[in-house]
Amino acid sequence: VTTTVDASTVEAATPTPRRLFNRRSGGDRAFFAGISMSGVFVLVIMLGVGVFLAIKATDALGKTGIWSFLTTSQWEVGRGRFGIAAVVVFTVLISLVAVSIAIPVSMGTALFITEVAPGWMRSTLIALVDLMAAVPSVVYGLWGGKLLQGQIVPLSRWLNTWLGWIPFFDVSGADPNSPLASASVYTTSTFIAGIVVAMMVMPIQCVVMREVFSQVPLGEREGAFALGSTRWGQIRVVTLPFGRGGIIGGTMLGLGRALGETIAVVLVISPRFNITPHILEAGSNSVSALIALHYNEGSEFEISALFAAGLALFALTLVVNFTASWFVSRSRSGASSEA
Amino acid sequence: MTLQLTPGEVHETTSVQPQAVASDLFRAADRNDNETTIPQRPQRAGPQQRRRTGTLSRQDAMYMVGAGVSALATTMLIFGRLTPLSGKLGFIVVAFVIYLIVYAVLVSLTENRPAVVDRVMTVLLASAAAAAFFALASVIFFTFYRGRQAILRSNTYLEDLSKTGPLDGLDQGGIKHAIVGTLIMIGISLIFTVPLGIACAVYLNESRSRTAGFVRTIVTAMTALPSVLAGLFIFASWILILGFERSGLAASIAVSIMMLPIIIRSADVVLRLVPGNLREASAALGAPQWRTVWHVVLPTARSGLTTSVILGVARGIGETAPVLLTAGFTATINFNPLKSPMVSLPLAAFELVRSPQPTQIARGFATAAVLMLLVLLLFSIARIFGGRPAGHLTGRQRRKATSDSLKDLRRMTRQPQEALT
C-alpha cells in the first residue's frame, strides 16, 4: 500500500523556528531610556573634561606653538617662554620610581593574599589593602613631607655614595666623604616623592593583581601540586603566567594614577624647572603640582597655559590607562572577567 | 596467572637483585596482558593516624625563630663591633638579608632545593605584605601622633579659625568650618552620584548594546582620571565659561566627578553577582524588566550597593586637588554651598601644614587625623555591610519578607471567594 504525501503538508509539519521578538512595554521603554541617558551622561562628562581643557588651552597653545610648548622647560608665562618639557620629565621620573618600588610590594602582597594567607586572614588583608587605597592623598603627603623627608636621607646618601656611578643616583653638589655635608641636598627629591606616590599606587596594583590571581583555574593549580610541585613552583608555572595580563595591566593602571598625583607631590617637593635625571637631587616637579601651585595667580593667558599643561597630562594618562585596560582584557584571565 | 607480591618479598628481593626483579615483573606483565597488577602497600598497624595538612610544622616554626634570633644577634654584632655602620633602615635591611640566608641554610639541612626555594619565597611574599601594612600603620599612627595636641581639645570641633591668628595657641580656634564644609560637599555629591552612579551601573548590566561596552571602558579609564583635571574641568566650565563663583557647589560637582567612576565600577561588579535564576524567575512570572530590576535585582544587591557608595564617599571625602581649584579658601564657617568660598577637611589640612608656624602645623595634622577618622569610620561601616553576600537577609528583612508573602497568600485565597459572593 502506498500513500502519496503531498509535499506541502510535509513542509508544514516540520517545525520552523519561531520568530522571537521582544516588544518592550511602555514602562520598560521609559526605563531603558532613563538608564541609557545616565550612561550617555557619564560618557559626556568624560568627553567634556577633554573638550573643555582643549577649548581653554587653545589660547596659550596658539600663541606659543605646540612644538615649543612641548620642548621648552621653563615656565615663565609672562615672558612668553613656557613649556612642559621639565614638568613632564619629572612627572614621568616620579611615576617610574613609584611604580618600580610598588611592583614588588604589590605583587608580593597580592600573591601572599591569594596563595599563602590562611582563609581567616584573607578578608582582613583585602580590607586593609582597600583602606590603603582610601587613605586621602593629603595624609600620605603629610607623612612623606614631615616624616619620610628626614628618615630617607641616610638611604639617599648611601645610594649616592655606593651607586653614584649610575647616572640616576648621582647628586651634584654632594660630597659623600664630607661628614659636614648638609642633608638638604637630598631632601624634596624625585626619589622621596616617588616613594610617597608608591604608597598610593601599590594598593591599586594590588587589587588588580589579586583579582586576576584569584581567577587561576583550580584544576591547573591542583595539577601542579599533583605533579609534585611546591607552592612556589605552582606560583611560578601556573599563577604568574596566567596572571601576566593582570600584572602588566595593574602596573599600567598604577602608572596612570602616579602620573596624576597632585597633593602628596606638592607637599614633598620644592619645584624646579631644569631637567635632571638625578632622582636623589633636591627639587622636583610634576604637571599636576604645577597646576595646583599656579592656578590662583595671574592673567587669563597664564591660566590658559595651565590648561594646556592639563591637556597634556590628560592625554598622557588616557594613553597609559587605555593601554592598561587593553592588556587586562587581552589576557586569558581578563577575557572571562570582562563580561 | 596472577602475580602476588607480599611487601616483605619485594623488599627482600630488591635489596639483593633489583634488576632481576624488574625483568621478572616485565615477563609477568607480558604473559598476562589482560590482568592488572596491583602493588600491595604494607598495612599500617593500628588505627590510621590523622595526617597534618597544615603547611607550618613545629620544625618550620623553630627554624624561623632560630633564624630570627641568629640574624638579630649577627646584625647587632656587625653594627656594634665590627663596622661603623649605623641607621635604623640599614639595620633592618642587613638583619633581613642575614635572616634569609640563615633560614635557607637551616631548611637546606633537611629539605631539597625546590623546598628551600619555596620556603624562602614564602618568607619574601609575607614580608612584602608585612612591609605594605607596616607602612599603612606608620601613616595612620604618625597622623594621629602629630595631631594629638589639638585633636583632644573640644574647641577644635566647636570653633572656626576666623578669629584665630597663626600665632595663637591650640586652645583657641578649630576646624568646625572644615567639618561643616566637608559634610555639605559630600551631601551634595551624594545627591548627584548615587542616582546617576547606580542608574549607570544598571545600564551596564541590563543593556547588551555596544554603547554599554564603550561606557564601561570609559568608566574604567575615568577611575584613573587625575583629580586635578576634574578640578580644572569644573574650573573651566562652571567658573570661567559659565561665570559662577567659587563655592561649595562647584567643589561638590568636581568631587562627584571623582566619585562617579568608583561607585559605577563597584556597583557594576556587585550587580553582576546577582544570581541569574532570580532574574529569570521574575521574568517567568511576567514582570517587565524595570520591575525585575526594581523589585529583584536592586534589593538583592542592596548591601553591595551600599558598600560601593561608601567606598565612593571614602574616596571623595579625601579629594584635595579638585576642592583646591574650585572651592576657594576661607577661615570662617559658611553654610551656603551656592555662595562664597567653602573649605573641606583635606583642603584645610593642606593649607594649614604649609604654614611655617608649629601651631598651624599641629592644627593641620589634627585636621588630617579627623579626616582619617572619618575614612576609618566609613570603612568599618562598609565592612559591616559588605560582609554579607548578595541576597543575604537580616532577621528583620526575613520577617518582613515572610509577612509580605503571607499577606499575598491571604489576598490570593480571598479573591475567588469574593468573586463567588
Side-chain angles (χ1 to χ4, degrees):
Chain A
V1 186
T2 53
T3 46
T4 47
V5 177
D6 191 8
S8 62
T9 57
V10 172
E11 199 86 344
T14 44
T16 53
R18 262 183 294 169
R19 212 163 57 83
L20 289 173
F21 63 96
N22 183 11
R23 197 197 292 143
R24 286 171 175 165
S25 66
D28 263 358
R29 253 174 292 160
F31 168 70
F32 269 96
I35 58 172
S36 307
M37 247 169 59
S38 71
V40 170
F41 189 69
V42 170
L43 212 61
V44 166
I45 291 176
M46 184 64 180
L47 298 178
V49 175
V51 169
F52 274 100
L53 288 181
I55 290 175
K56 298 302 284 185
T58 44
D59 202 8
L61 283 180
K63 194 153 277 180
T64 180
I66 289 179
W67 180 249
S68 141
F69 182 69
L70 291 179
T71 51
T72 312
S73 59
Q74 291 103 325
W75 193 264
E76 289 156 3
V77 184
R79 289 158 63 189
R81 288 192 313 168
F82 61 96
I84 52 166
V87 281
V88 165
V89 168
F90 280 120
T91 306
V92 172
L93 277 178
I94 290 177
S95 309
L96 288 181
V97 171
V99 169
S100 44
I101 293 172
I103 285 177
V105 179
S106 58
M107 216 158 105
T109 310
L111 283 174
F112 182 77
I113 291 175
T114 50
E115 310 279 340
V116 182
W120 54 268
M121 208 195 239
R122 205 167 287 163
S123 64
T124 313
L125 293 180
I126 291 171
L128 277 176
V129 172
D130 285 344
L131 176 64
M132 224 175 151
V135 170
S137 60
V138 68
V139 174
Y140 281 124
L142 289 181
W143 180 77
K146 304 282 176 192
L147 178 71
L148 203 62
Q149 200 86 273
Q151 298 289 320
I152 215 73
V153 167
L155 176 64
S156 295
R157 185 177 286 143
W158 188 85
L159 282 174
N160 178 35
T161 310
W162 298 101
L163 300 171
W165 47 273
I166 303 172
F168 280 116
F169 294 134
D170 191 20
V171 175
S172 51
D175 182 10
N177 298 322
S178 151
L180 296 174
S182 157
S184 66
V185 289
Y186 296 113
T187 54
T188 70
S189 67
T190 308
F191 182 59
I192 300 175
I195 296 176
V196 176
V197 174
M199 293 280 293
M200 287 177 253
V201 164
M202 182 256 145
I204 293 174
Q205 295 181 337
C206 185
V207 166
V208 176
M209 291 180 194
R210 186 181 56 74
E211 270 172 18
V212 172
F213 292 156
S214 64
Q215 285 167 5
V216 173
L218 202 59
E220 290 179 29
R221 260 176 219 271
E222 288 172 351
F225 283 130
L227 289 171
S229 161
T230 57
R231 179 162 56 203
W232 172 248
Q234 182 262 120
I235 292 173
R236 208 167 51 84
V237 298
V238 177
T239 309
L240 290 182
F242 180 86
R244 194 185 298 133
I247 296 171
I248 298 172
T251 306
M252 300 282 286
L253 267 186
L255 188 64
R257 173 82 193 265
L259 289 171
E261 187 42 54
T262 314
I263 293 300
V265 175
V266 172
L267 283 170
V268 170
I269 59 158
S270 55
R272 66 183 277 178
F273 286 96
N274 50 336
I275 301 174
T276 169
H278 308 156
I279 59 171
L280 299 177
E281 218 167 282
S284 182
N285 220 327
S286 85
V287 179
S288 45
L290 177 82
I291 295 169
L293 290 173
H294 291 264
Y295 78 102
N296 215 359
E297 45 198 59
S299 63
E300 194 155 324
F301 184 71
E302 290 179 28
I303 298 286
S304 169
L306 286 183
F307 277 106
L311 189 66
L313 178 64
F314 184 66
L316 199 61
T317 45
L318 265 199
V319 169
V320 171
N321 287 334
F322 276 117
T323 321
S325 44
W326 184 76
F327 267 113
V328 175
S329 65
R330 236 179 63 100
S331 68
R332 218 181 113 199
S333 45
S336 59
S337 73
E338 197 71 21
Chain B
M1 184 199 123
T2 47
L3 185 73
Q4 283 283 339
L5 288 175
T6 58
E9 272 176 16
V10 172
H11 187 76
E12 208 174 317
T13 38
T14 39
S15 61
V16 182
Q17 280 179 317
Q19 277 176 344
V21 172
S23 57
D24 277 1
L25 269 171
F26 281 125
R27 233 174 291 135
D30 280 344
R31 281 198 300 270
N32 307 290
D33 277 340
N34 41 11
E35 280 183 54
T36 313
T37 318
I38 302 168
Q40 283 191 339
R41 299 226 161 77
Q43 287 292 315
R44 200 170 288 166
Q48 283 209 343
Q49 295 269 315
R50 186 171 171 187
R51 247 185 267 181
R52 283 172 54 93
T53 51
T55 43
L56 193 76
S57 67
R58 185 180 298 159
Q59 197 182 25
D60 286 339
M62 298 299 269
Y63 282 166
M64 281 184 184
V65 173
V69 171
S70 151
L72 212 60
T74 318
T75 317
M76 278 175 174
L77 187 67
I78 292 176
F79 271 62
R81 294 295 162 105
L82 301 180
T83 58
L85 287 173
S86 67
K88 273 177 270 180
L89 196 69
F91 186 88
I92 294 170
V93 171
V94 172
F96 184 66
V97 171
I98 293 177
Y99 172 79
L100 279 184
I101 295 170
V102 173
Y103 183 62
V105 170
L106 280 179
V107 175
S108 68
L109 294 179
T110 50
E111 306 282 350
N112 55 3
R113 213 176 60 87
V116 174
V117 174
D118 176 54
R119 299 287 169 78
V120 171
M121 287 317 290
T122 305
V123 168
L124 280 179
L125 294 183
S127 27
F133 297 128
F134 171 76
L136 174 68
S138 136
V139 168
I140 294 173
F141 176 77
F142 178 70
T143 311
F144 282 102
Y145 179 74
R146 287 290 297 266
R148 72 192 182 283
Q149 288 161 318
I151 199 172
L152 293 173
R153 291 171 193 276
S154 63
N155 60 309
T156 304
Y157 308 99
L158 299 175
E159 291 173 27
D160 60 17
L161 284 175
S162 53
K163 295 191 193 72
T164 314
L167 292 172
D168 288 331
L170 288 171
D171 52 347
Q172 290 179 46
I175 50 165
K176 188 185 175 191
H177 57 307
I179 298 175
V180 169
T182 287
L183 293 181
I184 292 177
M185 281 180 203
I186 283 295
I188 298 176
S189 305
L190 277 177
I191 296 174
F192 292 138
T193 50
V194 169
L196 190 59
I198 293 187
C200 189
V202 168
Y203 170 67
L204 294 182
N205 266 273
E206 298 296 322
S207 172
R208 301 262 176 277
S209 64
R210 272 259 178 84
T211 332
F214 184 57
V215 172
R216 182 174 282 141
T217 316
I218 292 291
V219 168
T220 312
M222 249 175 108
T223 47
L225 179 77
S227 58
V228 73
L229 291 185
L232 266 189
F233 166 56
I234 296 303
F235 186 52
S237 56
W238 187 258
I239 293 168
L240 291 182
I241 293 180
L242 294 175
F244 292 97
E245 63 177 319
R246 285 188 179 153
S247 65
L249 180 65
S252 307
I253 303 174
V255 169
S256 300
I257 292 177
M258 296 310 296
M259 283 165 65
L260 253 186
I262 294 171
I263 295 183
I264 295 174
R265 277 271 293 179
S266 45
D268 179 31
V269 173
V270 169
L271 289 178
R272 220 184 289 169
L273 291 178
V274 171
N277 52 10
L278 287 182
R279 272 174 220 269
E280 285 159 13
S282 166
L285 288 171
Q289 200 160 359
W290 70 272
R291 272 191 175 276
T292 307
V293 169
W294 188 253
H295 290 292
V296 176
V297 176
L298 291 182
T300 309
R302 189 188 288 149
S303 82
L305 291 177
T306 316
T307 311
S308 66
V309 170
I310 292 172
L311 289 181
V313 171
R315 175 78 187 273
I317 219 169
E319 285 296 350
T320 319
V323 182
L324 175 72
L325 265 64
T326 53
F329 184 73
T330 176
T332 50
I333 194 159
N334 173 17
F335 285 102
N336 186 353
L338 299 174
K339 261 178 69 110
S340 60
M342 184 183 267
V343 76
S344 72
L345 282 170
L347 181 57
F350 175 67
E351 296 287 353
L352 285 172
V353 293
R354 290 213 293 170
S355 147
Q357 299 300 332
T359 50
Q360 291 291 78
I361 294 178
R363 279 194 191 102
F365 272 100
T367 316
V370 171
L371 179 64
M372 207 52 236
L373 267 184
L374 270 178
V375 171
L376 286 171
L377 182 75
L378 285 170
F379 242 80
S380 327
I381 300 174
R383 277 285 284 167
I384 294 165
F385 275 107
R388 278 179 282 134
H392 187 279
L393 299 176
T394 59
R396 220 179 90 227
Q397 285 169 328
R398 200 179 302 119
R399 279 194 293 281
K400 186 173 182 302
T402 318
S403 80
D404 278 357
S405 61
L406 273 177
K407 217 182 286 169
D408 282 345
L409 183 69
R410 243 174 272 136
R411 183 170 53 83
M412 286 172 189
T413 46
R414 200 171 59 230
Q415 246 167 7
Q417 290 166 2
E418 280 170 355
L420 283 171
T421 51

